[in-house]
Amino acid sequence: AKLKDSSSITEHLESVFGQAIASAFPEFRDTPVIIAPVNSTSAKFGDYQCNNAMGLSKKLKEKGISKAPRDIATELKGHCPPSPLIEKLEIAGAGFVNVFLSKDYAASALSNLLRNGVSPPEVNKRRVLVDFSSPNIAKQMHVGHLRSTIIGESLCRLLEFLQHDVIRINHLGDWGTQFGMLIAHLEDRFPNYLNESPPISDLQLFYKESKKRFDEDEEFKKRAYSRVVSLQKGVPNSIKAWELICNVSRKEFQTIYERLDISIKERGESFYQSRMLSVVEYLRGKGLLEADEGREIMWPDDTKTGIPLTIVKSDGGFTYDTSDMAAIRHRVEEELCDWIIYVVDSGQSTHFNTIFKAAERSAILNPLTHRVDHVQFGVVLGEDGKKFKTRSGDTVKLADLLDEGMKRSLLQLESRGRDKVLTPQELKDAQESLAYGCIKYSDLCHNRISDYIFSFDKMLEDRGNTAVYLLYTYTRICSIARNCGEDFSNLPEILKKTNIVLAHEKEWKLAKTLLKLHDILIKCSRELFLHFLCEFCFEVCTVFTEFYDSCYCIEKNKQGDIIAVNHSRILLCEATAAVLRQCFYILGLKPVSKM
Ligand code: ARG
């Protein structure tokens, strides 16, 4: 079996055992191969196992052939093509084939990693559009949008690292009837808006004022409606007013994105105005729209169950449903995407399921060639387990939340006396790294589907699976090579003279842990869960600590002078740092060299 740097261990073993099955039992050549990692505490059973013998035995029985799983396992073992990755194979228990990884292979894979950097595992490349963040103009960007922003950004980084062609889209809520009243109110409050930018400092307040007038004042209401029409027709003054209003929100969103290091392209609902017209024509043409009390609706499938989409309202206007139908069509037919991911809270799962089915029904989407995912997530709760609010009961402003994180992380650093050792710049870098790191990480490290409790105290703990623990461990690892008294900056040079040795049990365990990276990345991208990657980082850090506690990297005499440096072990430290660095990048953590 050929082995590339870019294949994951599981995939490689799948191909090895797939070949074994095909040659030992040709009639079952299409059986999916089952490879499972073996719990690291039971090292005598090897590192991975193939569990196909039991199932094959059953299948043979159905054909009237009786063969014990253990005998099948033995045959599979005999038919495995040689692989550089496998040290030995052993039959165990009812019929498991245990795989022991080769140390030579591991040592050379780690040398390659140090020489060339962390390589991505090989996957089938797709053109994928990630729709995330997507707050609404004139409304508060709330913690739900924060979750979408954090999860979406990390998914993009993961998929980009896997060499997919990724389009990051901010499906801004910048269109709809509420703009009629906002424009009408703008005309009254800032009559000179065409010549100078209106100084709206609080757009939420502005929204409330205009809503009040809309509800109370008939003349205002009429004008608001006429402004919706002129906006949709593209009358220049209305477009100008709309742009001014959007700019106020846009600026607020942008500061949040900058602080959190988010990159995203704005393509709001307004972008689809003309495409909404054409998608309605398209659906009508296919006979998929039905009249319903003045509206035009569309059922997701022929059974006409569930909730239909409202495609055209009774006043002729369009809805959120219409814009998502237009958007999915644009993404497939114009952007030529074969994978679309929506990072939106679980509350919208019915909406997206209906959109996906309707897109399939109307032949916009072919499920055999296109993958669509609603990456849903639970709500953010306060420490009292109730909806996340400020003490006075208001919704939490994101900017305030980030400020609070900055304050808390400074306190955390001060409590460890770091303010006395770090320069002001180093302290500030550490503070930002901790503040934004812990907010992102505490979101990403839980299964996104469950609700999560937002607690600065918890996320700033320096033990357990937290950003603080990971970042501190990483900093400590980096300091080992830095303080060993020798120059480890030119790794390719050092690798010419030093071999990686995996003789000690803990060295071996660390090496095998690091080599799981590819499997983890593939699993994350398949299932679109990032907590697997967080758990992996945590495992790397704890296994590293075990290694460091029992393996000297640097030996010192009683005076504290360095008397010996173990080069191979320093290289293991550097490989650990490289793996963590790559994972941190995906998770949006910014490590600093001192903290
Ligand atoms: N603006 C919407 C909201 O705040 C989210 C949009 C999500 N994306 C989409 N294509 N519908 O709820």
Side-chain angles (χ1 to χ4, degrees), residues 227-269:
R227 292 304 177 265
V228 179
V229 178
S230 55
L231 180 63
Q232 286 178 350
K233 276 196 193 137
V235 174
N237 284 2
S238 294
I239 292 281
K240 174 82 189 169
W242 167 76
E243 265 169 3
L244 290 169
I245 293 163
C246 290
N247 279 341
V248 178
S249 285
R250 205 170 265 140
K251 258 192 217 131
E252 275 174 36
F253 301 155
Q254 198 50 43
T255 49
I256 303 276
Y257 294 147
E258 267 157 31
R259 289 177 78 173
L260 294 176
D261 210 3
I262 306 298
S263 84
I264 190 165
K265 179 181 164 73
E266 182 184 321
R267 189 185 283 159
E269 292 173 26

Side-chain angles (χ1 to χ4, degrees), residues 131 133-136 142 145 171-173 269 320 324 331 342 344-345 348 351-352:
D131 174 323
S133 193
S134 309
N136 303 314
H142 55 68
H145 295 126
H171 193 80
L172 210 59
E269 292 173 26
Y320 188 51
D324 264 323
R331 290 164 185 185
Y342 297 82
V344 187
D345 63 274
Q348 298 197 29
H351 169 74
F352 285 110

